[in-house]
Amino acid sequence: MFGTQTRDVADDFKSSRRTLWNTPTASMPATTHTIRYNTGKKSLFNARLMSVRFEDLYGFMVEGNVDDVNVLNEVRERIREQGRVWWALEANKGANWYLQPKISSNEGVISVTSLKLSVLTNTITLRRLIRKGVPPVLRPKVWLSVSGAAKKRSTVPETYYDELIRATEGKTTPATRQIDHDLPRTFPCHPWLNSEEGQASLRRVLVGYSFRDSEVGYCQGLNYVAALLLLVMKTEEDAFWMLAVLLENVLVSDCYTDTLSGCHVEQRVFKDLLAKKCPRIADHLEAMGFDVSLVTTEWFLCLFSKSLPSETTLRVWDVLFNEGAKVLFHVALAIFKMREDDLLRIQHIGDVIDILQTTTHHLYDPDELLTFAFDKIGSMTTNTITKERKKQETVVMAELDKRIRRLSSLKMDG
């Protein structure tokens, strides 16, 4: 782990606390911004084939059909409505009621009752509120609090991140070389992330973390996660601490190490859960010889950031940072469950991949996905998943050990 440096940060070093980019106002093409396409039965098919391009809330260019546009219009209205709920609570309880301690007077003595969000994350009220979506403008401070990132950052000097970045400048490692290779391929269609400034910011966050935790270093997939964190958090330092708490506290350990052992464990756990929660799908896919990890590995490594539309991904992350990694299983199972009838009809492996990719790319309604994830899939406790992980970890580690011995034997023979 990186130790804090004693030298001063140079005066000309740009502070990582500055705002990196501004979220554009949610925009749509002039012809589709507020239009609801009401088509008769004869023209409905043709209307659905119409392709439109528009910029989403986080600056991604999206191409979809008219149905997608209508769904997005409805989703944006729900975002505004949910924002009014949060503002009403702040007006009633006080600004940042979920973050600040409550000051009360008891017989002339001021006492402090903690109402920090980290204490309230298990309450039904807050859980329901977050499952319905955190307003984009509140996401940075809410995520920092519910995830534990703010607490983690408070344990080190304020200059930690700046000194870390300063200490890593000019250093080359296998991790930095892979990061440099992946930067141009990380959401290349996003104007800021594809800019010199955006890639430099993303590089500092990824390189910084690779030095903070050399065991993880860097793994492909983290570039997409860190990029989306930058767009949401607005500052490099906040994005860095969200990445740190994600890898060190929220997700299962060893997901991003060289062996990907944690990821292999999660895939085995998911297969077991699919068999329990969606037995017909699991049996059908097994009979076809389809390995679900062909699709779900990327979902878990990239936390759906490469698969789902940005706002849907961030709604998943709202719940992920509040409730933990079990949310990934809920969401992955929901995607399969939503297309159960279609999956049961097909007989070719390629069709399975096409259906799942098409489904995820057009899941513009996060409420539809999360309703399936939590209401249709049913309860899954963290303890249940933890027990399943321990069982699968033994199998995975035995397989990895066998593979290492085989490779060693081949090297000796060579």
Side-chain angles (χ1 to χ4, degrees):
M1 304 292 283
F2 174 79
T4 54
Q5 304 293 302
T6 57
R7 57 184 173 183
D8 293 331
V9 177
D11 292 337
D12 62 346
F13 182 75
K14 293 182 179 180
S15 172
S16 57
R17 295 177 184 273
R18 66 184 176 86
T19 300
L20 296 171
W21 84 299
N22 293 315
T23 303
T25 302
S27 61
M28 301 282 280
T31 57
T32 59
H33 181 53
T34 56
I35 294 176
R36 295 294 186 269
Y37 291 86
N38 296 315
T39 59
K41 291 182 179 179
K42 293 182 179 180
S43 60
L44 180 60
F45 179 76
N46 289 333
R48 284 177 174 169
L49 292 179
M50 290 175 58
S51 179
V52 290
R53 286 175 59 83
F54 48 90
E55 186 177 280
D56 72 8
L57 186 62
Y58 288 91
F60 291 96
M61 289 304 300
V62 180
E63 184 170 350
N65 56 39
V66 172
D67 286 343
D68 296 331
V69 173
N70 287 334
V71 169
L72 273 169
N73 281 333
E74 295 169 4
V75 168
R76 287 172 179 177
E77 179 56 35
R78 291 202 295 269
I79 290 174
R80 287 189 284 270
E81 292 175 359
Q82 186 65 5
R84 288 191 283 269
V85 172
W86 284 78
W87 309 139
L89 282 169
E90 290 209 346
N92 183 46
K93 297 176 178 290
N96 299 334
W97 60 271
Y98 43 85
L99 300 172
Q100 303 299 330
K102 178 181 178 182
I103 308 298
S104 60
S105 177
N106 182 17
E107 296 180 350
V109 178
I110 301 296
S111 63
V112 178
T113 303
S114 176
L115 277 180
K116 291 182 179 179
L117 199 54
S118 57
V119 177
L120 296 177
T121 51
N122 290 326
T123 65
I124 296 176
T125 300
L126 188 60
R127 176 171 294 193
R128 287 178 177 172
L129 197 62
I130 289 177
R131 283 189 178 185
K132 290 180 180 179
V134 179
V137 70
L138 292 180
R139 275 197 174 114
K141 66 178 180 180
V142 171
W143 282 8
L144 283 168
S145 297
V146 298
S147 67
K151 183 178 180 181
K152 182 180 287 288
R153 181 169 59 187
S154 70
T155 63
V156 299
E158 290 187 3
T159 57
Y160 177 89
Y161 179 73
D162 286 340
E163 292 181 356
L164 172 61
I165 299 307
R166 186 71 171 178
T168 62
E169 287 181 351
K171 294 186 176 180
T172 301
T173 66
T176 64
R177 285 192 288 269
Q178 186 62 54
I179 290 169
D180 289 335
H181 179 72
D182 289 346
L183 285 175
R185 304 188 298 177
T186 306
F187 298 127
C189 294
H190 190 282
W192 184 77
L193 289 172
N194 196 39
S195 70
E196 184 178 344
E197 179 190 16
Q199 290 191 8
S201 294
L202 178 57
R203 186 183 193 279
R204 284 191 289 270
V205 171
L206 292 171
V207 170
Y209 192 80
S210 75
F211 277 84
R212 172 181 168 87
D213 189 345
S214 58
E215 184 177 351
V216 170
Y218 170 74
C219 175
Q220 288 178 310
L222 290 180
N223 51 323
Y224 295 99
V225 174
L228 202 48
L229 285 173
L230 275 170
L231 296 182
V232 174
M233 304 306 292
K234 303 295 195 298
T235 72
E236 285 181 29
E237 184 172 0
D238 286 349
F240 171 84
W241 285 111
M242 288 304 302
L243 184 64
V245 80
L246 191 62
L247 299 182
E248 297 166 15
N249 301 98
V250 177
L251 301 178
V252 68
S253 61
D254 298 330
C255 269
Y256 297 94
T257 54
D258 288 342
T259 63
L260 296 177
S261 60
C263 181
H264 292 309
V265 169
E266 297 294 77
Q267 294 308 302
R268 284 182 166 274
V269 172
F270 177 74
K271 289 177 185 178
D272 280 356
L273 291 174
L274 184 68
K276 294 175 182 177
K277 297 290 185 177
C278 309
R280 295 174 65 205
I281 297 176
D283 290 344
H284 182 65
L285 296 181
E286 184 177 359
M288 291 173 56
F290 180 75
D291 184 352
V292 294
S293 66
L294 290 173
V295 174
T296 57
T297 296
E298 182 181 275
W299 292 358
F300 279 73
L301 281 177
C302 299
L303 307 181
F304 297 101
S305 60
K306 281 189 67 180
S307 307
L308 296 173
S310 63
E311 178 58 26
T312 304
T313 299
L314 297 178
R315 284 287 300 278
V316 172
W317 288 13
D318 285 343
V319 191
L320 171 68
F321 288 127
N322 187 49
E323 299 185 31
K326 70 173 186 177
V327 171
L328 301 178
F329 295 105
H330 277 277
V331 172
L333 289 168
I335 294 170
F336 278 86
K337 186 68 175 177
M338 292 171 75
R339 299 304 301 271
E340 181 170 16
D341 291 343
D342 293 325
L343 290 171
L344 293 177
R345 278 196 295 266
I346 61 176
Q347 300 297 328
H348 301 289
I349 290 176
D351 293 336
V352 178
I353 297 174
D354 288 342
I355 285 175
L356 294 174
Q357 287 182 342
T358 301
T359 300
T360 54
H361 291 165
H362 290 271
L363 266 173
Y364 292 104
D365 187 349
D367 290 309
E368 179 187 13
L369 174 61
L370 293 177
T371 296
F372 262 90
F374 295 108
D375 295 346
K376 305 293 185 181
I377 296 302
S379 171
M380 290 188 294
T381 66
T382 299
N383 286 338
T384 299
I385 293 176
T386 299
K387 290 179 181 178
E388 186 64 26
R389 281 174 178 150
K390 289 180 178 179
K391 182 179 75 174
Q392 297 298 342
E393 184 177 1
T394 302
V395 179
V396 168
M397 295 311 294
E399 288 182 350
L400 288 174
D401 184 61
K402 184 178 180 180
R403 187 183 308 168
I404 291 172
R405 289 200 305 270
R406 187 186 306 121
L407 290 173
S408 297
S409 176
L410 291 174
K411 288 180 179 179
M412 290 178 65
D413 293 340

